[in-house]
Amino acid sequence: MIRLLDILFSFFGLILLLPVLIIISFLIWIINGLPVFFIQKRVGRNGREFNLVKFRTMRQDSEQEGFITLGTADSRITALGRFLRRFKLDELPQLLNVLEGTMSMVGPRPEVRKYVALYSDEQRKVLTIKPGITDYASIRFADENRMAGEVIEPEKHYIQEVMPRKLELSMIYVKKPGLFSYFDIIFKTLFRIFLRK
């Protein structure tokens, strides 16, 4: 049932949002140049890697300077990128991931291999279901980038403090991946995006 909902939401979402996707793509191309999309290897269900797609919000090759975004003042983020990130518009291309089946609308956010390698056996249980665009951890840590910019050692803070807490929250859905939790997370995510200050 959840796979059917994923297909319906992603398919009709892509159709309805097509004008928005085209406008954003055009703006990125005109203002920041190509490529329009940022494609990164992430670890999905059962530890398999897949290509996660986002709109590019940073300077080209910024990934070489680290995976953690250092707050809104991070010089790698473009002006347009800050706007897209604020309203989570950079995540919209992941509807393609959902449609192809490598992601779900709801599920633990997929990490890069570097951080997955640090998971404990218990934490690796998040890899037993498809990763998602949003989950309880995404809602709780919606301002994660800002938080990273407020600490001295962002990556260390992420590994020791943020990542374990995110995985705890992700496990809530992993343990009960039903329709109630699915819609609860979607509605709470929309509420968080549109009613944030």
Side-chain angles (χ1 to χ4, degrees):
M1 183 63 177
I2 287 179
R3 178 56 187 153
L4 177 60
L5 289 171
D6 280 342
I7 292 172
L8 291 174
F9 284 147
S10 58
F11 178 74
F12 288 107
L14 286 166
I15 291 176
L16 292 172
L17 293 169
L18 186 59
V20 176
L21 296 170
I22 292 173
I23 290 171
I24 293 175
S25 297
F26 181 75
L27 289 174
I28 294 173
W29 176 42
I30 293 300
I31 298 173
N32 301 318
L34 296 173
V36 167
F37 299 105
F38 171 68
I39 299 175
Q40 185 181 57
K41 290 285 185 184
R42 296 287 181 98
V43 180
R45 189 176 187 179
N46 297 323
R48 296 192 185 96
E49 288 189 337
F50 69 98
N51 292 319
L52 179 138
V53 185
K54 290 186 176 186
F55 279 123
R56 184 167 66 87
T57 59
M58 303 178 79
R59 292 185 285 102
Q60 292 188 47
D61 301 320
S62 294
E63 189 179 14
Q64 297 176 7
E65 299 174 34
F67 295 115
I68 305 298
T69 305
L70 309 177
T72 56
D74 193 319
S75 61
R76 296 175 297 171
I77 304 176
T78 65
L80 177 59
R82 288 191 183 89
F83 174 81
L84 297 177
R85 285 180 173 224
R86 178 175 181 182
F87 295 99
K88 303 299 182 182
L89 295 173
D90 61 315
E91 310 280 355
L92 291 179
Q94 287 168 55
L95 290 172
L96 293 169
N97 288 117
V98 176
L99 188 60
E100 74 172 359
T102 52
M103 290 181 67
S104 173
M105 293 296 294
V106 174
R109 287 297 297 164
E111 282 282 12
V112 295
R113 181 70 66 183
K114 175 182 178 179
Y115 297 129
V116 172
L118 302 175
Y119 287 3
S120 67
D121 289 341
E122 179 65 22
Q123 291 170 336
R124 290 186 68 83
K125 290 179 180 178
V126 299
L127 302 178
T128 60
I129 67 172
K130 284 182 185 178
I133 292 178
T134 184
D135 72 342
Y136 291 120
S138 301
I139 298 167
R140 170 62 182 83
F141 287 91
D143 291 328
E144 182 182 337
N145 291 340
R146 177 187 58 78
M147 294 165 60
E150 296 175 351
V151 296
I152 297 174
E153 298 181 88
E155 185 170 44
K156 182 179 179 181
H157 175 74
Y158 179 77
I159 293 171
Q160 296 182 351
E161 304 292 337
V162 177
M163 190 171 75
R165 181 57 181 145
K166 287 175 69 176
L167 289 167
E168 284 180 18
L169 291 169
S170 293
M171 284 301 297
I172 296 173
Y173 182 72
V174 172
K175 292 176 179 177
K176 294 185 67 175
L179 290 178
F180 176 82
S181 297
Y182 183 91
F183 283 107
D184 182 53
I185 289 170
I186 287 176
F187 288 132
K188 285 181 177 176
T189 298
L190 293 174
F191 182 85
R192 181 71 176 83
I193 291 172
F194 292 111
L195 295 184
R196 67 185 302 175
K197 294 182 179 180

mmCIF file with all atom_site columns, all heavy atoms in Angstrom, residues 106-124:
data_model
loop_
_atom_site.group_PDB
_atom_site.id
_atom_site.type_symbol
_atom_site.label_atom_id
_atom_site.label_alt_id
_atom_site.label_comp_id
_atom_site.label_asym_id
_atom_site.label_entity_id
_atom_site.label_seq_id
_atom_site.pdbx_PDB_ins_code
_atom_site.Cartn_x
_atom_site.Cartn_y
_atom_site.Cartn_z
_atom_site.occupancy
_atom_site.B_iso_or_equiv
_atom_site.pdbx_formal_charge
_atom_site.auth_seq_id
_atom_site.auth_comp_id
_atom_site.auth_asym_id
_atom_site.auth_atom_id
_atom_site.pdbx_PDB_model_num
ATOM 1   N N   . VAL A 1 106 ? 8.341  8.667  2.837  1.00 0.00 ? 106 VAL A N   1
ATOM 2   C CA  . VAL A 1 106 ? 8.645  8.655  4.268  1.00 0.00 ? 106 VAL A CA  1
ATOM 3   C C   . VAL A 1 106 ? 9.644  7.545  4.582  1.00 0.00 ? 106 VAL A C   1
ATOM 4   O O   . VAL A 1 106 ? 9.497  6.417  4.127  1.00 0.00 ? 106 VAL A O   1
ATOM 5   C CB  . VAL A 1 106 ? 7.363  8.447  5.094  1.00 0.00 ? 106 VAL A CB  1
ATOM 6   C CG1 . VAL A 1 106 ? 7.694  8.295  6.583  1.00 0.00 ? 106 VAL A CG1 1
ATOM 7   C CG2 . VAL A 1 106 ? 6.398  9.611  4.890  1.00 0.00 ? 106 VAL A CG2 1
ATOM 8   N N   . GLY A 1 107 ? 10.657 7.896  5.351  1.00 0.00 ? 107 GLY A N   1
ATOM 9   C CA  . GLY A 1 107 ? 11.659 6.918  5.752  1.00 0.00 ? 107 GLY A CA  1
ATOM 10  C C   . GLY A 1 107 ? 12.900 7.627  6.262  1.00 0.00 ? 107 GLY A C   1
ATOM 11  O O   . GLY A 1 107 ? 13.016 8.854  6.138  1.00 0.00 ? 107 GLY A O   1
ATOM 12  N N   . PRO A 1 108 ? 13.833 6.911  6.852  1.00 0.00 ? 108 PRO A N   1
ATOM 13  C CA  . PRO A 1 108 ? 15.061 7.531  7.358  1.00 0.00 ? 108 PRO A CA  1
ATOM 14  C C   . PRO A 1 108 ? 15.820 8.236  6.234  1.00 0.00 ? 108 PRO A C   1
ATOM 15  O O   . PRO A 1 108 ? 15.912 7.718  5.123  1.00 0.00 ? 108 PRO A O   1
ATOM 16  C CB  . PRO A 1 108 ? 15.871 6.325  7.881  1.00 0.00 ? 108 PRO A CB  1
ATOM 17  C CG  . PRO A 1 108 ? 14.863 5.249  8.086  1.00 0.00 ? 108 PRO A CG  1
ATOM 18  C CD  . PRO A 1 108 ? 13.821 5.453  7.049  1.00 0.00 ? 108 PRO A CD  1
ATOM 19  N N   . ARG A 1 109 ? 16.340 9.407  6.517  1.00 0.00 ? 109 ARG A N   1
ATOM 20  C CA  . ARG A 1 109 ? 17.115 10.115 5.501  1.00 0.00 ? 109 ARG A CA  1
ATOM 21  C C   . ARG A 1 109 ? 18.379 9.319  5.183  1.00 0.00 ? 109 ARG A C   1
ATOM 22  O O   . ARG A 1 109 ? 19.088 8.875  6.088  1.00 0.00 ? 109 ARG A O   1
ATOM 23  C CB  . ARG A 1 109 ? 17.502 11.515 6.008  1.00 0.00 ? 109 ARG A CB  1
ATOM 24  C CG  . ARG A 1 109 ? 16.351 12.489 6.056  1.00 0.00 ? 109 ARG A CG  1
ATOM 25  C CD  . ARG A 1 109 ? 15.775 12.768 4.684  1.00 0.00 ? 109 ARG A CD  1
ATOM 26  N NE  . ARG A 1 109 ? 16.757 13.413 3.807  1.00 0.00 ? 109 ARG A NE  1
ATOM 27  C CZ  . ARG A 1 109 ? 16.624 13.482 2.488  1.00 0.00 ? 109 ARG A CZ  1
ATOM 28  N NH1 . ARG A 1 109 ? 15.602 12.930 1.875  1.00 0.00 ? 109 ARG A NH1 1
ATOM 29  N NH2 . ARG A 1 109 ? 17.546 14.097 1.769  1.00 0.00 ? 109 ARG A NH2 1
ATOM 30  N N   . PRO A 1 110 ? 18.673 9.124  3.902  1.00 0.00 ? 110 PRO A N   1
ATOM 31  C CA  . PRO A 1 110 ? 19.856 8.344  3.531  1.00 0.00 ? 110 PRO A CA  1
ATOM 32  C C   . PRO A 1 110 ? 21.143 9.133  3.750  1.00 0.00 ? 110 PRO A C   1
ATOM 33  O O   . PRO A 1 110 ? 21.203 10.327 3.477  1.00 0.00 ? 110 PRO A O   1
ATOM 34  C CB  . PRO A 1 110 ? 19.628 8.072  2.040  1.00 0.00 ? 110 PRO A CB  1
ATOM 35  C CG  . PRO A 1 110 ? 18.798 9.232  1.573  1.00 0.00 ? 110 PRO A CG  1
ATOM 36  C CD  . PRO A 1 110 ? 17.908 9.580  2.730  1.00 0.00 ? 110 PRO A CD  1
ATOM 37  N N   . GLU A 1 111 ? 22.145 8.435  4.248  1.00 0.00 ? 111 GLU A N   1
ATOM 38  C CA  . GLU A 1 111 ? 23.437 9.052  4.523  1.00 0.00 ? 111 GLU A CA  1
ATOM 39  C C   . GLU A 1 111 ? 24.462 8.628  3.464  1.00 0.00 ? 111 GLU A C   1
ATOM 40  O O   . GLU A 1 111 ? 24.253 7.680  2.704  1.00 0.00 ? 111 GLU A O   1
ATOM 41  C CB  . GLU A 1 111 ? 23.955 8.608  5.897  1.00 0.00 ? 111 GLU A CB  1
ATOM 42  C CG  . GLU A 1 111 ? 23.311 9.306  7.073  1.00 0.00 ? 111 GLU A CG  1
ATOM 43  C CD  . GLU A 1 111 ? 23.865 10.700 7.299  1.00 0.00 ? 111 GLU A CD  1
ATOM 44  O OE1 . GLU A 1 111 ? 24.584 11.225 6.427  1.00 0.00 ? 111 GLU A OE1 1
ATOM 45  O OE2 . GLU A 1 111 ? 23.571 11.276 8.352  1.00 0.00 ? 111 GLU A OE2 1
ATOM 46  N N   . VAL A 1 112 ? 25.588 9.325  3.467  1.00 0.00 ? 112 VAL A N   1
ATOM 47  C CA  . VAL A 1 112 ? 26.710 8.910  2.630  1.00 0.00 ? 112 VAL A CA  1
ATOM 48  C C   . VAL A 1 112 ? 27.413 7.747  3.332  1.00 0.00 ? 112 VAL A C   1
ATOM 49  O O   . VAL A 1 112 ? 27.275 7.553  4.540  1.00 0.00 ? 112 VAL A O   1
ATOM 50  C CB  . VAL A 1 112 ? 27.707 10.075 2.392  1.00 0.00 ? 112 VAL A CB  1
ATOM 51  C CG1 . VAL A 1 112 ? 27.055 11.180 1.581  1.00 0.00 ? 112 VAL A CG1 1
ATOM 52  C CG2 . VAL A 1 112 ? 28.233 10.621 3.715  1.00 0.00 ? 112 VAL A CG2 1
ATOM 53  N N   . ARG A 1 113 ? 28.145 6.976  2.566  1.00 0.00 ? 113 ARG A N   1
ATOM 54  C CA  . ARG A 1 113 ? 28.792 5.769  3.098  1.00 0.00 ? 113 ARG A CA  1
ATOM 55  C C   . ARG A 1 113 ? 29.706 6.080  4.283  1.00 0.00 ? 113 ARG A C   1
ATOM 56  O O   . ARG A 1 113 ? 29.802 5.292  5.233  1.00 0.00 ? 113 ARG A O   1
ATOM 57  C CB  . ARG A 1 113 ? 29.601 5.105  1.980  1.00 0.00 ? 113 ARG A CB  1
ATOM 58  C CG  . ARG A 1 113 ? 30.318 3.830  2.376  1.00 0.00 ? 113 ARG A CG  1
ATOM 59  C CD  . ARG A 1 113 ? 29.381 2.678  2.636  1.00 0.00 ? 113 ARG A CD  1
ATOM 60  N NE  . ARG A 1 113 ? 28.687 2.234  1.442  1.00 0.00 ? 113 ARG A NE  1
ATOM 61  C CZ  . ARG A 1 113 ? 27.768 1.281  1.433  1.00 0.00 ? 113 ARG A CZ  1
ATOM 62  N NH1 . ARG A 1 113 ? 27.418 0.690  2.575  1.00 0.00 ? 113 ARG A NH1 1
ATOM 63  N NH2 . ARG A 1 113 ? 27.171 0.918  0.304  1.00 0.00 ? 113 ARG A NH2 1
ATOM 64  N N   . LYS A 1 114 ? 30.354 7.231  4.248  1.00 0.00 ? 114 LYS A N   1
ATOM 65  C CA  . LYS A 1 114 ? 31.289 7.608  5.306  1.00 0.00 ? 114 LYS A CA  1
ATOM 66  C C   . LYS A 1 114 ? 30.649 7.558  6.683  1.00 0.00 ? 114 LYS A C   1
ATOM 67  O O   . LYS A 1 114 ? 31.270 7.084  7.651  1.00 0.00 ? 114 LYS A O   1
ATOM 68  C CB  . LYS A 1 114 ? 31.817 9.026  5.036  1.00 0.00 ? 114 LYS A CB  1
ATOM 69  C CG  . LYS A 1 114 ? 32.703 9.588  6.139  1.00 0.00 ? 114 LYS A CG  1
ATOM 70  C CD  . LYS A 1 114 ? 33.146 11.006 5.815  1.00 0.00 ? 114 LYS A CD  1
ATOM 71  C CE  . LYS A 1 114 ? 34.000 11.576 6.935  1.00 0.00 ? 114 LYS A CE  1
ATOM 72  N NZ  . LYS A 1 114 ? 34.465 12.960 6.628  1.00 0.00 ? 114 LYS A NZ  1
ATOM 73  N N   . TYR A 1 115 ? 29.411 8.032  6.794  1.00 0.00 ? 115 TYR A N   1
ATOM 74  C CA  . TYR A 1 115 ? 28.740 8.059  8.089  1.00 0.00 ? 115 TYR A CA  1
ATOM 75  C C   . TYR A 1 115 ? 28.039 6.743  8.404  1.00 0.00 ? 115 TYR A C   1
ATOM 76  O O   . TYR A 1 115 ? 27.972 6.341  9.568  1.00 0.00 ? 115 TYR A O   1
ATOM 77  C CB  . TYR A 1 115 ? 27.759 9.229  8.145  1.00 0.00 ? 115 TYR A CB  1
ATOM 78  C CG  . TYR A 1 115 ? 28.445 10.565 8.020  1.00 0.00 ? 115 TYR A CG  1
ATOM 79  C CD1 . TYR A 1 115 ? 28.014 11.513 7.105  1.00 0.00 ? 115 TYR A CD1 1
ATOM 80  C CD2 . TYR A 1 115 ? 29.557 10.877 8.802  1.00 0.00 ? 115 TYR A CD2 1
ATOM 81  C CE1 . TYR A 1 115 ? 28.664 12.739 6.973  1.00 0.00 ? 115 TYR A CE1 1
ATOM 82  C CE2 . TYR A 1 115 ? 30.214 12.086 8.683  1.00 0.00 ? 115 TYR A CE2 1
ATOM 83  C CZ  . TYR A 1 115 ? 29.766 13.019 7.766  1.00 0.00 ? 115 TYR A CZ  1
ATOM 84  O OH  . TYR A 1 115 ? 30.416 14.225 7.628  1.00 0.00 ? 115 TYR A OH  1
ATOM 85  N N   . VAL A 1 116 ? 27.542 6.068  7.389  1.00 0.00 ? 116 VAL A N   1
ATOM 86  C CA  . VAL A 1 116 ? 26.905 4.763  7.606  1.00 0.00 ? 116 VAL A CA  1
ATOM 87  C C   . VAL A 1 116 ? 27.916 3.773  8.179  1.00 0.00 ? 116 VAL A C   1
ATOM 88  O O   . VAL A 1 116 ? 27.566 2.910  8.991  1.00 0.00 ? 116 VAL A O   1
ATOM 89  C CB  . VAL A 1 116 ? 26.307 4.222  6.292  1.00 0.00 ? 116 VAL A CB  1
ATOM 90  C CG1 . VAL A 1 116 ? 25.825 2.783  6.462  1.00 0.00 ? 116 VAL A CG1 1
ATOM 91  C CG2 . VAL A 1 116 ? 25.153 5.098  5.839  1.00 0.00 ? 116 VAL A CG2 1
ATOM 92  N N   . ALA A 1 117 ? 29.172 3.918  7.790  1.00 0.00 ? 117 ALA A N   1
ATOM 93  C CA  . ALA A 1 117 ? 30.226 3.031  8.286  1.00 0.00 ? 117 ALA A CA  1
ATOM 94  C C   . ALA A 1 117 ? 30.403 3.146  9.797  1.00 0.00 ? 117 ALA A C   1
ATOM 95  O O   . ALA A 1 117 ? 30.975 2.243  10.433 1.00 0.00 ? 117 ALA A O   1
ATOM 96  C CB  . ALA A 1 117 ? 31.545 3.343  7.581  1.00 0.00 ? 117 ALA A CB  1
ATOM 97  N N   . LEU A 1 118 ? 29.898 4.236  10.381 1.00 0.00 ? 118 LEU A N   1
ATOM 98  C CA  . LEU A 1 118 ? 30.026 4.459  11.820 1.00 0.00 ? 118 LEU A CA  1
ATOM 99  C C   . LEU A 1 118 ? 28.830 3.943  12.607 1.00 0.00 ? 118 LEU A C   1
ATOM 100 O O   . LEU A 1 118 ? 28.846 3.966  13.841 1.00 0.00 ? 118 LEU A O   1
ATOM 101 C CB  . LEU A 1 118 ? 30.193 5.961  12.096 1.00 0.00 ? 118 LEU A CB  1
ATOM 102 C CG  . LEU A 1 118 ? 31.387 6.644  11.420 1.00 0.00 ? 118 LEU A CG  1
ATOM 103 C CD1 . LEU A 1 118 ? 31.356 8.149  11.694 1.00 0.00 ? 118 LEU A CD1 1
ATOM 104 C CD2 . LEU A 1 118 ? 32.700 6.046  11.899 1.00 0.00 ? 118 LEU A CD2 1
ATOM 105 N N   . TYR A 1 119 ? 27.806 3.450  11.925 1.00 0.00 ? 119 TYR A N   1
ATOM 106 C CA  . TYR A 1 119 ? 26.601 2.963  12.603 1.00 0.00 ? 119 TYR A CA  1
ATOM 107 C C   . TYR A 1 119 ? 26.920 1.737  13.463 1.00 0.00 ? 119 TYR A C   1
ATOM 108 O O   . TYR A 1 119 ? 27.718 0.875  13.079 1.00 0.00 ? 119 TYR A O   1
ATOM 109 C CB  . TYR A 1 119 ? 25.536 2.539  11.596 1.00 0.00 ? 119 TYR A CB  1
ATOM 110 C CG  . TYR A 1 119 ? 24.821 3.653  10.865 1.00 0.00 ? 119 TYR A CG  1
ATOM 111 C CD1 . TYR A 1 119 ? 25.161 4.983  11.045 1.00 0.00 ? 119 TYR A CD1 1
ATOM 112 C CD2 . TYR A 1 119 ? 23.788 3.356  9.968  1.00 0.00 ? 119 TYR A CD2 1
ATOM 113 C CE1 . TYR A 1 119 ? 24.501 5.987  10.360 1.00 0.00 ? 119 TYR A CE1 1
ATOM 114 C CE2 . TYR A 1 119 ? 23.116 4.352  9.280  1.00 0.00 ? 119 TYR A CE2 1
ATOM 115 C CZ  . TYR A 1 119 ? 23.474 5.665  9.477  1.00 0.00 ? 119 TYR A CZ  1
ATOM 116 O OH  . TYR A 1 119 ? 22.815 6.646  8.796  1.00 0.00 ? 119 TYR A OH  1
ATOM 117 N N   . SER A 1 120 ? 26.245 1.648  14.600 1.00 0.00 ? 120 SER A N   1
ATOM 118 C CA  . SER A 1 120 ? 26.297 0.437  15.415 1.00 0.00 ? 120 SER A CA  1
ATOM 119 C C   . SER A 1 120 ? 25.364 -0.591 14.776 1.00 0.00 ? 120 SER A C   1
ATOM 120 O O   . SER A 1 120 ? 24.600 -0.269 13.859 1.00 0.00 ? 120 SER A O   1
ATOM 121 C CB  . SER A 1 120 ? 25.842 0.741  16.839 1.00 0.00 ? 120 SER A CB  1
ATOM 122 O OG  . SER A 1 120 ? 24.458 1.079  16.841 1.00 0.00 ? 120 SER A OG  1
ATOM 123 N N   . ASP A 1 121 ? 25.395 -1.810 15.272 1.00 0.00 ? 121 ASP A N   1
ATOM 124 C CA  . ASP A 1 121 ? 24.502 -2.852 14.745 1.00 0.00 ? 121 ASP A CA  1
ATOM 125 C C   . ASP A 1 121 ? 23.044 -2.444 14.908 1.00 0.00 ? 121 ASP A C   1
ATOM 126 O O   . ASP A 1 121 ? 22.223 -2.677 14.017 1.00 0.00 ? 121 ASP A O   1
ATOM 127 C CB  . ASP A 1 121 ? 24.747 -4.186 15.462 1.00 0.00 ? 121 ASP A CB  1
ATOM 128 C CG  . ASP A 1 121 ? 26.085 -4.815 15.067 1.00 0.00 ? 121 ASP A CG  1
ATOM 129 O OD1 . ASP A 1 121 ? 26.631 -4.430 14.011 1.00 0.00 ? 121 ASP A OD1 1
ATOM 130 O OD2 . ASP A 1 121 ? 26.578 -5.691 15.810 1.00 0.00 ? 121 ASP A OD2 1
ATOM 131 N N   . GLU A 1 122 ? 22.727 -1.824 16.034 1.00 0.00 ? 122 GLU A N   1
ATOM 132 C CA  . GLU A 1 122 ? 21.348 -1.381 16.284 1.00 0.00 ? 122 GLU A CA  1
ATOM 133 C C   . GLU A 1 122 ? 20.960 -0.267 15.312 1.00 0.00 ? 122 GLU A C   1
ATOM 134 O O   . GLU A 1 122 ? 19.854 -0.263 14.760 1.00 0.00 ? 122 GLU A O   1
ATOM 135 C CB  . GLU A 1 122 ? 21.225 -0.877 17.728 1.00 0.00 ? 122 GLU A CB  1
ATOM 136 C CG  . GLU A 1 122 ? 19.842 -0.373 18.111 1.00 0.00 ? 122 GLU A CG  1
ATOM 137 C CD  . GLU A 1 122 ? 18.775 -1.454 18.103 1.00 0.00 ? 122 GLU A CD  1
ATOM 138 O OE1 . GLU A 1 122 ? 19.111 -2.645 18.207 1.00 0.00 ? 122 GLU A OE1 1
ATOM 139 O OE2 . GLU A 1 122 ? 17.581 -1.090 18.003 1.00 0.00 ? 122 GLU A OE2 1
ATOM 140 N N   . GLN A 1 123 ? 21.860 0.682  15.089 1.00 0.00 ? 123 GLN A N   1
ATOM 141 C CA  . GLN A 1 123 ? 21.569 1.801  14.193 1.00 0.00 ? 123 GLN A CA  1
ATOM 142 C C   . GLN A 1 123 ? 21.420 1.351  12.738 1.00 0.00 ? 123 GLN A C   1
ATOM 143 O O   . GLN A 1 123 ? 20.683 1.962  11.978 1.00 0.00 ? 123 GLN A O   1
ATOM 144 C CB  . GLN A 1 123 ? 22.675 2.850  14.308 1.00 0.00 ? 123 GLN A CB  1
ATOM 145 C CG  . GLN A 1 123 ? 22.684 3.571  15.653 1.00 0.00 ? 123 GLN A CG  1
ATOM 146 C CD  . GLN A 1 123 ? 23.921 4.421  15.851 1.00 0.00 ? 123 GLN A CD  1
ATOM 147 O OE1 . GLN A 1 123 ? 24.971 4.183  15.238 1.00 0.00 ? 123 GLN A OE1 1
ATOM 148 N NE2 . GLN A 1 123 ? 23.822 5.426  16.704 1.00 0.00 ? 123 GLN A NE2 1
ATOM 149 N N   . ARG A 1 124 ? 22.081 0.264  12.382 1.00 0.00 ? 124 ARG A N   1
ATOM 150 C CA  . ARG A 1 124 ? 22.009 -0.230 11.007 1.00 0.00 ? 124 ARG A CA  1
ATOM 151 C C   . ARG A 1 124 ? 20.621 -0.777 10.655 1.00 0.00 ? 124 ARG A C   1
ATOM 152 O O   . ARG A 1 124 ? 20.331 -1.032 9.480  1.00 0.00 ? 124 ARG A O   1
ATOM 153 C CB  . ARG A 1 124 ? 23.070 -1.321 10.763 1.00 0.00 ? 124 ARG A CB  1
ATOM 154 C CG  . ARG A 1 124 ? 24.500 -0.787 10.747 1.00 0.00 ? 124 ARG A CG  1
ATOM 155 C CD  . ARG A 1 124 ? 25.493 -1.868 10.348 1.00 0.00 ? 124 ARG A CD  1
ATOM 156 N NE  . ARG A 1 124 ? 25.322 -2.262 8.956  1.00 0.00 ? 124 ARG A NE  1
ATOM 157 C CZ  . ARG A 1 124 ? 25.847 -1.620 7.920  1.00 0.00 ? 124 ARG A CZ  1
ATOM 158 N NH1 . ARG A 1 124 ? 26.600 -0.538 8.122  1.00 0.00 ? 124 ARG A NH1 1
ATOM 159 N NH2 . ARG A 1 124 ? 25.649 -2.040 6.700  1.00 0.00 ? 124 ARG A NH2 1
#
